[in-house]
Amino acid sequence: MSERLRIVHAHGEHITVTEPVTGVELLSYVYRAEAGWEAPKPYIHPLRTLAGDVVTDYRPNDHRWHKGLSLTASHLSGANLWGGNSYIHGEGYLAIPERVGSMRHVAFDEVSADADRVVIAERLTWHPYDGELWAEETRRVEVHDVDLDSRSWALTWSSAITNRRTEPLLFGSPTTAGREMAGYTGLFWRGPRAFRDGRIIGPDGEGPELMGTQGEWLALSGEHDGADGYATVLFAHAPENAGGHPAHWFVRNEPFAAIAPSWAFFEELALPPGETLTRRYRVVVADGAWERADITKYLAERPW
């Protein structure tokens, strides 16, 4: 690319990133505070392919707290920073407002763009319902590898979360709380309604049975409503993620499309006071229905 990727910052609201050749707004990073019941937190929506097709959903009627691509903590030392109802073993999902917390924007340390990359570097704080400071996060969202030939682009999401309590922060999920195969937490993508029944692909298999498995990457491709054609969303772990708590994929294509590289699927992750949990992921957004060979080739040509 020779032209600079374009950013527009509506202060207090959101930051948009536009690809200059196609004129497509690739993403909007939204950091304004929203409804408390939905566990306010920054998120990305819409997320678009280079053809301009949206590959995220926002406040769907089944889960109003699902917002595009966001970092979540569904079970955190008894708090719910995911939003909505809280899972209680033996009772199901219950409306418990005093469990719902938030992630608050503090400041941006960098918002920059050049011909090859956009950087959004942010500081956030994590809070339970009563507003106590539980954690501080430094986050870096980068847009890069925009390739008009392969009709794809990549986003790297890096987060470092430091425990500011005097006791361990316990990251969990509905599965660690007793619900089978519902280990969602961490970076979470909610796909558009049209991607229901989309094709799930992993390095060694495919289909919904990849729920709860481990692997370096996972992808879901779906067919658009309103526009002809398909798109593929690919998640990949950074190499250093493998050295920490084992991650398992949360993935669905029924009753909706979703992917989360969960850091607490089957077992709680305990973060001691003052220590930092660091994770980095790549999310690739591509036009077309990529096959396993396409994904393998792409990742081999673009090492971390």
Side-chain angles (χ1 to χ4, degrees), residues 33-288:
E34 298 195 349
W37 173 246
E38 297 167 12
K41 64 181 71 67
Y43 61 88
I44 292 174
H45 175 81
L47 190 68
R48 291 187 175 92
T49 70
L50 284 169
D53 296 311
V54 176
V55 293
T56 47
D57 206 352
Y58 173 77
R59 297 192 75 247
N61 60 24
D62 49 47
H63 295 79
R64 294 296 189 195
W65 46 95
H66 286 188
K67 296 176 182 179
L69 178 68
S70 65
L71 191 71
T72 73
S74 57
H75 288 240
L76 184 69
S77 295
N80 166 6
L81 274 65
W82 159 264
N85 295 337
S86 300
Y87 179 77
I88 306 298
H89 188 55
E91 301 181 65
Y93 285 92
L94 303 179
I96 311 176
E98 61 271 19
R99 279 183 177 248
V100 181
S102 63
M103 299 178 188
R104 300 176 188 170
H105 167 79
V106 174
F108 289 112
D109 292 323
E110 180 181 356
V111 177
S112 64
D114 58 27
D116 300 314
R117 186 173 296 261
V118 163
V119 174
I120 301 171
E122 182 184 23
R123 281 177 282 130
L124 306 97
T125 52
W126 293 29
H127 307 270
Y129 180 79
D130 66 7
E132 181 184 351
L133 176 63
W134 274 15
E136 293 178 323
E137 179 191 350
T138 58
R139 177 179 300 180
R140 188 178 178 92
V141 175
E142 301 175 70
V143 174
H144 55 95
D145 285 308
V146 178
D147 188 339
L148 299 181
D149 293 328
S150 67
R151 306 296 298 171
S152 67
W153 64 278
L155 177 153
T156 294
W157 183 301
S158 307
S159 283
I161 302 143
T162 302
N163 180 4
R164 294 307 185 198
R165 301 183 78 192
T166 58
E167 57 188 275
L169 271 177
L170 300 178
F171 292 85
S173 66
T175 295
T176 66
R179 184 186 174 199
E180 291 187 1
M181 303 307 283
Y184 51 82
T185 200
L187 188 63
F188 180 84
W189 167 73
R190 170 67 189 251
R193 198 169 295 273
F195 279 27
R196 180 176 176 176
D197 299 324
R199 183 185 179 194
I200 300 167
I201 309 172
D204 303 306
E206 63 178 84
E209 60 269 23
L210 294 179
M211 172 74 89
T213 64
Q214 294 175 289
E216 295 181 3
W217 58 265
L218 192 74
L220 191 149
S221 60
E223 186 174 11
H224 301 297
D225 281 340
D228 295 334
Y230 294 76
T232 301
V233 176
L234 164 67
F235 279 68
H237 288 284
E240 67 269 18
N241 292 356
H245 195 79
H248 298 79
W249 292 107
F250 175 86
V251 60
R252 283 181 175 161
N253 63 357
E254 174 66 33
F256 52 80
I259 295 176
S262 174
W263 52 41
F265 196 112
F266 295 110
E267 298 178 350
E268 284 189 331
L269 187 162
L271 184 65
E275 294 199 9
T276 301
L277 172 68
T278 302
R279 291 292 185 271
R280 186 163 61 115
Y281 307 99
R282 181 181 297 169
V283 181
V284 181
V285 180
D287 288 298

